Amino acid sequence: MRYHPFYCLLFVSSSLIAQQPTPAPADDRVGVYRTTEDPSLELRLDRREGQLIVSILGQGVVPLKEVSPGHYKLAIVKPVVTLDFEKDIAGNIIACRIFQKEPPHTWTRVGETSADPAGDYHLDINPYPIVHILNKNNSLFIQSGLHHESPLIKLGPGTYQYTYDDKKYGVKFQSGAGGAIKSVVITGSYPLRLTRVSKTLPHVSNRVNGFTHADTLQGMLTPVRSCYDVLFYDLALTILPETKSIRGSNTIRWRAVRPFRRMQVDLFENFSIDTIMYHGNQLAYIRDGNAVYVDLPAEVANGSIDELRIVYSGTPLQPDVEATKGGIFWLWDRNRQIWIESVTQGIGASVFWPCKDHLSDRPDSMRIRVTVPTGLTEISNGQLLNKVDLPSGQTRFDWYVDYPIVTYNVVFYVGDYVHFSDVYVRPAGDTLPLNFYCLRYNLDSAKAVFSDAKRMLALYERDFGPYPFPRDGYTALEGIYPMDHQGAVCIGPMRSPFNGDKYDGDVMRTMWHESAHEWWGNNVGCADYADMWIHEGFATYAGFLNVESLSGRAVAVKETLFGSPANKEPIIGVYNVNHFHMGDMYLKGALLLETLRSLTGNDSLWFSIFHAIQRRFRYTPVATQAVETTFSELTGKDYSWFFDQYLRHAAVPLLDLHFRQDGDRLYLTYKWVADVPGFRMPIRVSVAPGRLGFICPTTAPQTMELTGMTEKDFTVDTDHFYVNVKRE
Ligand SMILES: [Zn+2]
């Protein structure tokens, strides 16, 4: 049998959250292990804080407990999964074997039942292991996974046995009325052998681990990438859920920015490239990891418009939940319907389609055609132009994005979706089409959540400016992983697919956050992941503004700006190495905006700056510097010292206070302790009994006299200024 025993992990993985990777000491068991039968099944062993950790791509992470020397079991997972290592003669670990004590499994027939057992069967608990029963000239065979086929030896009526890998398995078909076979029970367990394919774990881009050649290939705008400007992508995909694989092609149309002959496109190395066509001829190419160097037959002239087409196929990576990197999620919904979502922010769009995978270059528009098994709904970005049923039992969905789009926003969702639409009528009377999708059984919840979309859009249009993609309309939908996909905003699952009826009440806040990215990220977005606070700081601040509009600013401060950032690394990452980093850019980004708003002290000026940034950098990848300059220009004040401290240094400015009481007079000596030499932020403090006002500390001490006050009466407005305070 080839179905793997990890489906139980699905039940623990739902509570997993992204964790920051930590460097691991050497351990001779650490590495990547993979089965030969299922290319998508990969297990990683790591050591963290003295503990061995097993992670299964796309599923979850559990600690490994040693039960006796050399023998382990996976914590939490039930039924118990044991793990042993296999060594070569020299004592090196070359594989691990996993064994799960299981009860007999019932596999339910997919589709029509009949007296002939030939057909497909799946587990009720996890859709992707599928067993095929084949009938060849009245001899039955069982096939699972991608390759193996074993003959079924008849033992009695409806009862068979087969052998795989020297192990015997029992097979019993179960029939219903009229003798139609509805399911098959398979007994017997087997150890699953995973070969060690690497002694090191895949590199995760961050400052701690350093950066690699691959990070530079993806993150740097080298001459082989900057030589062309993408105008249009024409992406066509066929999704094959059973093998978790895809086939596809992409036509890349570009304008030459200077004469060139060699160009880089990006496609993850686990895909095979079937052909690259140019003017009817196949092109030569060289692959270097995830980069593909394509050589044109002759140099193209500056300004010329041209195109090539890449045809490719393969099994895309599944998401690595630990490293918060993307991939393709393959799940079932609660009705056992296929549910799929692609998530590529960070890891890069080239994890499933070939493109110039750099944030600095958006096509002017894009066509996306996705073919899925008939009966399922597919959703991509922009406008649905067509839905075509194909004779192959598949349906093609044709989408068009009528605006520039960042490559990581390009998405496919597949599932048993239902659609409903609405219209947002703006105060001025013009309209914006709204489209919503949810899983069939979540329609009531979805209607309740999405009913807040008009209020939210009105708020964002007031505070940030007009919705940036009016021709495509606004679309929000339920999906597996919340993400700000342009024109197809995913708000996450309405209910956990793992926990039955548990309704995720926080999904509306997720809608606020992900929808804010239509302004911050999808319209005005960074040109390099190092500057991603422009997406996340502003989107987190949008959540704050939503609460402020509903409950007031004081409540918003309490409800959304609580907790404290780590302040271990600057918000701005490392440039040119695809430095996708999480952390402080969310909360600290929002806190710095609220601090700057308090500093500005003028809400109409404050929100006019947001509008100006949205207008000035419309559909344009920007650097932090451009955003900063706009703030300084429109406020008429140089705020470079402010942005430098909050964005480019880890530490928060410290307000250093010394008190001396003399009768009813309080003498206060104050100064800033900050990394930026000229740091000079005014801040609101007690300036008289019961009254707040601004003082203007610098990094040099100043003293003020407060009459009728004691140290206890003196407060600093840390609700609206994100600073640390030291009192002596
Ligand atoms: Zn976000």
Side-chain angles (χ1 to χ4, degrees), residues 187-207:
T187 51
S189 307
Y190 67 102
L192 185 74
R193 185 176 183 277
L194 296 105
T195 311
R196 191 183 198 179
V197 292
S198 165
K199 289 184 179 177
T200 54
L201 294 168
H203 173 77
V204 176
S205 290
N206 62 39
R207 286 185 177 91

Side-chain angles (χ1 to χ4, degrees), residues 484 513-514 517 535-536 539 586:
D484 38 289
H513 178 94
E514 301 304 343
H517 283 306
H535 303 205
E536 301 302 351
Y586 290 82

Side-chain angles (χ1 to χ4, degrees), residues 155-323:
L155 301 178
T159 312
Y160 297 79
Q161 187 185 67
Y162 74 95
T163 307
Y164 170 70
D165 200 16
D166 297 331
K167 303 265 180 317
K168 286 191 167 34
Y169 299 90
V171 173
K172 187 170 174 52
F173 290 102
Q174 296 183 320
S175 38
I181 292 168
K182 291 162 64 179
S183 59
V184 59
V185 180
I186 298 175
T187 51
S189 307
Y190 67 102
L192 185 74
R193 185 176 183 277
L194 296 105
T195 311
R196 191 183 198 179
V197 292
S198 165
K199 289 184 179 177
T200 54
L201 294 168
H203 173 77
V204 176
S205 290
N206 62 39
R207 286 185 177 91
V208 177
N209 293 347
F211 298 98
T212 63
H213 173 61
D215 295 328
T216 301
L217 283 180
Q218 194 176 7
M220 188 175 276
L221 205 56
T222 50
V224 283
R225 301 170 104 187
S226 61
C227 61
Y228 69 103
D229 171 29
V230 175
L231 300 179
F232 181 67
Y233 289 124
D234 188 2
L235 178 66
L237 298 172
T238 300
I239 312 296
L240 305 163
E242 192 182 312
T243 53
K244 295 190 216 176
S245 62
I246 60 176
R247 286 197 308 263
S249 71
N250 188 27
T251 299
I252 304 174
R253 187 180 306 151
W254 73 82
R255 183 192 296 112
V257 174
R258 55 178 173 72
F260 71 88
R261 191 169 167 195
R262 171 168 284 194
M263 63 196 287
Q264 178 186 329
V265 294
D266 306 283
L267 179 65
F268 268 50
E269 59 186 336
N270 55 307
F271 281 99
S272 55
I273 294 178
D274 302 328
T275 180
I276 302 182
M277 298 299 290
Y278 176 75
H279 295 187
N281 297 311
Q282 287 199 0
L283 282 181
Y285 58 89
I286 302 164
R287 302 186 79 167
D288 179 4
N290 300 332
V292 185
Y293 297 112
V294 183
D295 287 322
L296 302 177
E299 188 173 86
V300 295
N302 185 19
S304 61
I305 292 175
D306 218 330
E307 62 182 42
L308 58 75
R309 180 167 178 259
I310 301 178
V311 182
Y312 69 105
S313 57
T315 308
L317 297 183
Q318 294 180 62
D320 181 339
V321 286
E322 276 189 282

Side-chain angles (χ1 to χ4, degrees), residues 349-575:
S350 50
V351 75
F352 80 88
W353 62 286
C355 57
K356 179 175 169 182
D357 201 0
H358 196 275
L359 302 185
S360 66
D361 198 354
R362 309 178 189 178
D364 297 345
S365 61
M366 180 162 181
R367 182 161 72 153
I368 306 163
R369 289 172 294 169
V370 184
T371 300
V372 299
T374 295
L376 294 167
T377 294
E378 193 279 329
I379 305 150
S380 286
N381 317 76
Q383 312 161 37
L384 179 63
L385 298 183
N386 253 321
K387 179 185 164 194
V388 185
D389 285 328
L390 306 172
S392 54
Q394 292 166 304
T395 303
R396 197 186 72 223
F397 293 78
D398 299 348
W399 297 85
Y400 178 66
V401 183
D402 201 9
Y403 293 93
I405 180 168
V406 185
T407 49
Y408 74 68
N409 271 322
V410 174
V411 65
F412 62 86
Y413 306 91
V414 182
D416 182 26
Y417 278 103
V418 288
H419 169 244
F420 56 100
S421 57
D422 202 344
V423 174
Y424 165 52
V425 183
R426 291 197 176 90
D430 61 332
T431 58
L432 179 72
L434 309 178
N435 286 288
F436 304 108
Y437 296 86
C438 65
L439 295 181
R440 189 168 301 282
Y441 51 83
N442 280 334
L443 189 57
D444 289 347
S445 319
K447 286 199 161 160
V449 171
F450 293 133
S451 70
D452 192 48
K454 290 182 194 176
R455 184 205 61 81
M456 175 198 74
L457 289 166
L459 174 79
Y460 289 166
E461 292 208 321
R462 186 196 72 190
D463 290 350
F464 304 148
Y467 177 73
F469 311 106
R471 293 191 299 280
D472 284 348
Y474 168 81
T475 299
L477 57 96
E478 172 177 23
I480 297 167
Y481 193 90
M483 187 55 68
D484 38 289
H485 299 126
Q486 179 179 317
V489 173
C490 177
I491 66 164
M494 294 280 173
R495 288 181 173 78
S496 162
F498 313 108
N499 297 337
D501 285 326
K502 193 177 146 222
Y503 171 71
D504 183 355
D506 221 24
V507 74
M508 196 179 285
R509 283 171 188 261
T510 310
M511 176 177 77
W512 298 346
H513 178 94
E514 301 304 343
S515 300
H517 283 306
E518 293 283 41
W519 284 261
W520 305 104
N522 303 345
N523 184 30
V524 177
C526 61
D528 188 301
Y529 276 119
D531 287 326
M532 211 176 159
W533 80 279
I534 298 169
H535 303 205
E536 301 302 351
F538 284 84
T540 307
Y541 194 60
F544 171 90
L545 295 175
N546 270 288
V547 179
E548 180 180 334
S549 82
L550 294 169
S551 316
R553 194 166 169 186
V555 175
V557 167
K558 249 196 209 106
E559 282 191 10
T560 60
L561 301 184
F562 61 92
S564 66
N567 294 319
K568 285 186 178 157
E569 285 198 1
I571 287 179
I572 289 187
V574 180
Y575 291 94

Side-chain angles (χ1 to χ4, degrees), residues 544 554 557-558 561 591 594-595 598 716-722:
F544 171 90
V557 167
K558 249 196 209 106
L561 301 184
L591 285 164
E594 180 62 2
T595 304
S598 307
V716 178
D717 184 8
T718 48
D719 277 352
H720 300 99
F721 291 82
Y722 178 51

